[in-house]
Amino acid sequence: METNVKNAKISVIVPVYNTPTLHLNRCIDSLLQQDYTNTEIILVDDGSSRDCCAVLEQIATRDNRIHLFHKENGGVSSARNLGLSKVTGEFLTFMDSDDYLDSHAWSLCIGSMQSHDSDLVCFGWQDHLADGTLVDHCITQDYSMSTIAKHLEVMRHITPIEETLASGQKRVSLPRSKESNQPLVCDRETLLTEIASDNIHYGGGYPWNKIWRTSALRDADGSLPFYDESLTIYEDKLWVLEAGARISSALIMPHILYHYMFLPGSLTHKDTDIIDRQPLAYKAYDKILDFLEKDFPEAYIRAYNFYFDVIFDDIHVLKDARHRNHYQKQYTETMATYKRLCKRIAPRTLYYPVRSPQFCSWLKERTLP
């Protein structure tokens, strides 16, 4: 569906819960400084403290494109859902309140969407680890899942490229081919298959590195798809897959435009916290499989393999002597989930885990205590 870029508005939903002022201001500044100016910034305060609310109120006075909404604390999904109910733009994107965006991101992506007549654009991002290391995630066809045998062979031998910048920071990336600098257009089924297979392929299940054409997502009554508020992990991946099922085509951009911050002391990146969160991940992945099973069989198989990979790794972690006594009950429950999962898949559709062992080991060493 054609949209005039010069008049098209982009709505960005930013949920906020007690975000440190420095990071919150940097986030909003990166949105206000976009060279694509027809924007609607929907700030959703999810029951933050009085101090954070005061900062948000001050931020809201800085520009008439900012619209601030307050609600009781209910989690990021409920905050995003409130934001979705307020969207008026022809394009839709999301932002985490402690991250930031390159100033040309929206003009580049929306212009490219129009040129390729796509309903969605996905772009790369850079992780900023707590120790200052930068990790590039450039989403190209280099590591596509479209040919399993080729993908597995490539990933077994991939080693991260590590360099030291003039600032003294370390920057890590994966090797790229010459074709990596070209945008790639794919159909809906390919997009869902790639995203279901991993957390990174073709932009993964993240809401913040994607821009959607809202007309492609709206129901007959004009409403947008909502997040499942019963989930607290992988809820964004389920939403991306459900939304992706509504589009015709997607544009995969090689550019790194989003900056994802790993704040020091973040609990979500601690080893034991990951263990505690995994049962919640199983609940989400059961819903992902249920959604994909009927209409998207290839994506279903890839999602199953990813789920199997995750739960298989969890079993080995839970058997570790450091966790065995404390997590005995969880180990028993995880084994029961594993057995149910094994009964769900057809024979000969399970393949070797796809993630690069070298890259996973490198990342784990730097993000986990």
Side-chain angles (χ1 to χ4, degrees):
M1 183 175 179
E2 291 293 332
T3 304
N4 188 331
V5 174
K6 292 183 179 179
N7 299 319
K9 182 194 298 181
I10 180 169
S11 299
V12 54
I13 298 172
V14 187
V16 180
Y17 178 69
N18 291 338
T19 305
T21 302
L22 175 66
H23 296 279
L24 183 56
N25 277 317
R26 181 178 58 194
C27 170
I28 303 306
D29 285 343
S30 77
L31 301 181
L32 294 175
Q33 293 167 7
Q34 289 294 308
D35 54 17
Y36 190 95
T37 58
N38 191 4
T39 63
E40 172 184 59
I41 301 171
I42 302 172
L43 284 180
V44 182
D45 164 37
D46 187 34
S48 297
S49 67
R50 183 177 301 177
D51 289 344
C52 185
C53 284
V55 173
L56 287 169
E57 293 289 348
Q58 188 278 325
I59 286 175
T61 65
R62 290 166 52 186
D63 196 292
N64 59 13
R65 293 174 293 175
I66 300 175
H67 307 283
L68 175 61
F69 301 92
H70 298 281
K71 61 180 289 296
E72 293 183 0
N73 180 252
V76 66
S77 289
S78 66
R80 286 174 177 157
N81 285 344
L82 176 59
L84 284 166
S85 72
K86 306 297 182 181
V87 167
T88 63
E90 288 84 0
F91 295 99
L92 165 67
T93 189
F94 297 87
M95 188 87 177
D96 283 357
S97 60
D98 49 5
D99 300 335
Y100 66 97
L101 199 63
D102 285 353
S103 61
H104 63 292
W106 289 348
S107 58
L108 174 65
C109 289
I110 293 177
S112 298
M113 285 178 73
Q114 293 300 102
S115 299
H116 293 84
D117 193 25
S118 299
D119 294 325
L120 166 68
V121 62
C122 308
F123 47 89
W125 71 98
Q126 187 177 68
D127 288 339
H128 292 239
L129 305 188
D131 66 359
T133 301
L134 307 176
V135 183
D136 288 354
H137 296 283
C138 178
I139 53 173
T140 70
Q141 61 269 45
D142 289 340
Y143 308 108
S144 170
M145 288 290 295
S146 56
T147 306
I148 292 293
K150 179 181 178 181
H151 177 86
L152 298 181
E153 184 61 29
V154 168
M155 293 303 284
R156 287 190 186 101
H157 300 97
I158 284 296
T159 301
I161 299 172
E162 190 168 340
E163 57 183 321
T164 301
L165 305 178
S167 62
Q169 289 179 294
K170 289 185 178 180
R171 182 176 180 177
V172 179
S173 59
L174 295 182
R176 296 168 57 186
S177 67
K178 293 181 180 179
E179 293 75 20
S180 296
N181 293 323
Q182 299 301 315
L184 172 70
V185 177
C186 68
D187 59 23
R188 172 180 56 196
E189 285 71 18
T190 300
L191 177 77
L192 296 184
T193 297
E194 295 286 345
I195 290 177
S197 68
D198 194 75
N199 283 339
I200 294 177
H201 291 294
Y202 281 29
Y206 305 116
W208 33 256
N209 65 340
K210 298 172 178 65
I211 299 176
W212 306 79
R213 197 185 299 269
T214 53
S215 60
L217 299 185
R218 292 192 183 277
D219 292 325
D221 64 359
S223 61
L224 292 167
F226 275 12
Y227 286 78
D228 186 333
E229 295 184 19
S230 71
L231 303 177
T232 56
I233 183 172
Y234 283 133
E235 76 290 337
D236 45 4
K237 188 166 188 173
L238 176 60
W239 186 90
V240 166
L241 290 169
E242 290 176 340
R246 302 183 179 211
I247 69 169
S248 296
S249 66
L251 177 65
I252 310 302
M253 299 281 285
H255 307 75
I256 293 176
L257 303 172
Y258 190 94
H259 298 268
Y260 185 90
M261 310 304 294
F262 283 72
L263 300 184
S266 174
L267 290 177
T268 57
H269 304 296
K270 292 184 181 296
D271 194 16
T272 53
D273 188 68
I274 290 173
I275 294 173
D276 290 335
R277 286 160 58 88
Q278 282 313 104
L280 303 174
Y282 307 153
K283 178 182 176 182
Y285 245 86
D286 285 338
K287 292 195 174 190
I288 288 173
L289 292 182
D290 289 342
F291 171 71
L292 295 172
E293 187 171 12
K294 180 181 178 182
D295 296 322
F296 304 100
E298 185 62 26
Y300 170 74
I301 291 173
R302 305 295 175 83
Y304 176 90
N305 275 271
F306 180 79
Y307 187 5
F308 186 94
D309 183 16
V310 168
I311 200 169
F312 192 76
D313 287 346
D314 290 345
I315 289 171
H316 283 276
V317 171
L318 291 168
K319 287 175 67 177
D320 188 285
R322 295 174 300 163
H323 310 303
R324 187 177 301 145
N325 293 332
H326 185 68
Y327 290 102
Q328 182 58 49
K329 180 180 179 182
Q330 187 169 321
Y331 172 73
T332 301
E333 293 174 352
T334 300
M335 283 299 297
T337 303
Y338 170 70
K339 290 176 182 178
R340 287 197 303 272
L341 187 62
C342 288
K343 294 178 181 178
R344 181 166 187 157
I345 197 71
R348 295 183 298 280
T349 55
L350 185 67
Y351 47 81
Y352 185 82
V354 299
R355 292 171 290 176
S356 165
Q358 296 91 339
F359 186 64
C360 288
S361 297
W362 182 93
L363 193 59
K364 184 174 181 180
E365 288 174 3
R366 286 156 178 79
T367 57
L368 299 179

